[in-house]
Amino acid sequence: MTADGIREAAAFISNELRLRTLPVAVKFLKDEGDLPEKAKRPATALGKRITICQAVTMARVYGWTMGVTKKDLICVPAMITFGMTASSHSRVSLGKLFCDVSFHENRESAEKETAAMSFLEKGEYPALALSPLSKGLYEPDTVAVYGNPAQVTRMIQAWVHQHGERVTGNLGGKVECSEYLIAPYKQAAARVAVPGAGDRIFSMTQDDEMVFALPGNGLESLVQGLKESGKKIGAKYPITFYQNFQPEFPKQYKIAGEEVGIS
């Protein structure tokens, strides 16, 4: 997809769904030298380390292009899932942490959950670029779109229209960045994610926000699906309220109406 095509798709999605924030283009990089030239590196540009979900917020709210490596990050569970630690047994390490903070009662339970989560291998992608999709800086590996449940519903309808497969969510209430950033790329499928506590504490994700994420090569099909899905019945966002009915009122209103000559 050309840069102009990416920018046009971003504009269409934002306008069609009246999004509050920008869709984010995500790129996994083998070398930090491949980060976009003007990407902000938190450790140097901001003088501090941040979470991956904060980088997402800076891209979708501020419109910044962000570049992060392990030098820029401070969120331990996310860094484990993104392969940016010294651990050679990431799922075990994350399972232990889950137990230590009482997200699980025992290691067996914790490791059952981590076995179902999406991970990058240690050192697989040392750098991550996150930019507004509207900039069209690169072909994204993943596109993450934040919206309210009704906006996400339209994207689900669009995807199902084009692909004939229901969209899944692999929900755990924590470390959900792996599900809306890694999973669509690794599994070549769309995902719905409910951001966890970290997103809401550190990156200011609002109570009404969810994420629809898709592999970058599915961008054209999402646009087409938004154009075609349900068009014969006027499906769109905002979802249209049905108004063709006569309201009923309590009997006191009927009595008052009779008293003032309303039959």
Side-chain angles (χ1 to χ4, degrees):
M1 198 171 185
T2 65
D4 284 343
I6 292 171
R7 286 190 283 267
E8 289 172 8
F12 177 82
I13 294 167
S14 291
N15 293 333
E16 181 74 7
L17 297 175
R18 305 188 189 186
L19 296 175
R20 191 166 64 204
T21 66
L22 301 168
V24 177
V26 182
K27 191 74 174 177
F28 298 97
L29 299 170
K30 294 284 189 180
D31 189 327
E32 65 179 89
D34 294 330
L35 285 167
E37 183 180 355
K38 294 184 179 180
K40 293 183 185 294
R41 296 287 303 278
T44 52
L46 304 177
K48 55 181 65 71
R49 297 161 68 190
I50 65 171
T51 66
I52 288 177
C53 57
Q54 281 180 279
V56 173
T57 294
M58 290 173 184
R60 73 184 182 97
V61 176
Y62 296 169
W64 291 355
T65 297
M66 303 299 298
V68 296
T69 70
K70 65 181 181 181
K71 297 176 183 177
D72 301 287
L73 299 173
I74 198 168
C75 179
V76 173
M79 293 175 73
I80 291 173
T81 59
F82 279 74
M84 293 184 179
T85 72
S87 175
S88 298
H89 305 283
S90 297
R91 296 177 193 274
V92 174
S93 298
L94 187 59
K96 180 181 182 301
L97 177 58
F98 283 169
C99 289
D100 291 343
V101 297
S102 71
F103 275 134
H104 280 277
E105 292 185 358
N106 56 64
R107 294 283 289 274
E108 181 180 5
S109 171
E111 289 176 20
K112 182 177 180 181
E113 180 183 9
T114 61
M117 294 173 63
S118 296
F119 281 71
L120 296 179
E121 297 297 326
K122 176 184 175 182
E124 184 177 4
Y125 292 102
L128 184 64
L130 307 102
S131 178
L133 183 67
S134 56
K135 289 187 175 181
L137 295 180
Y138 44 77
E139 289 195 43
D141 293 320
T142 295
V143 175
V145 186
Y146 280 65
N148 63 40
Q151 291 166 326
V152 171
T153 293
R154 278 300 292 151
M155 288 184 277
I156 293 171
Q157 291 170 345
W159 189 266
V160 173
H161 178 277
Q162 294 298 106
H163 296 270
E165 58 187 26
R166 293 181 72 87
V167 177
T168 61
N170 187 30
L171 310 178
K174 52 198 174 294
V175 204
E176 296 304 309
C177 54
S178 69
E179 288 304 314
Y180 60 76
L181 298 180
I182 299 173
Y185 171 53
K186 284 290 189 176
Q187 299 182 21
R191 270 281 203 269
V192 170
V194 178
D199 277 85
R200 301 189 191 279
I201 293 168
F202 300 119
S203 65
M204 317 305 170
T205 300
Q206 298 300 296
D207 287 353
D208 66 334
E209 288 184 304
M210 303 173 61
V211 187
F212 182 88
L214 61 147
N217 61 12
L219 192 56
E220 288 182 272
S221 67
L222 178 66
V223 169
Q224 192 62 29
L226 285 170
K227 292 177 180 178
E228 298 293 333
S229 177
K231 70 178 182 180
K232 291 184 179 179
I233 57 171
K236 61 181 181 178
Y237 181 84
I239 295 173
T240 306
F241 298 127
Y242 182 77
Q243 286 291 292
N244 188 17
F245 64 92
Q246 178 173 302
E248 294 289 337
F249 288 87
K251 65 179 181 180
Q252 292 87 346
Y253 288 80
K254 184 176 181 180
I255 293 171
E258 292 172 349
E259 290 174 351
V260 297
I262 300 173
S263 58

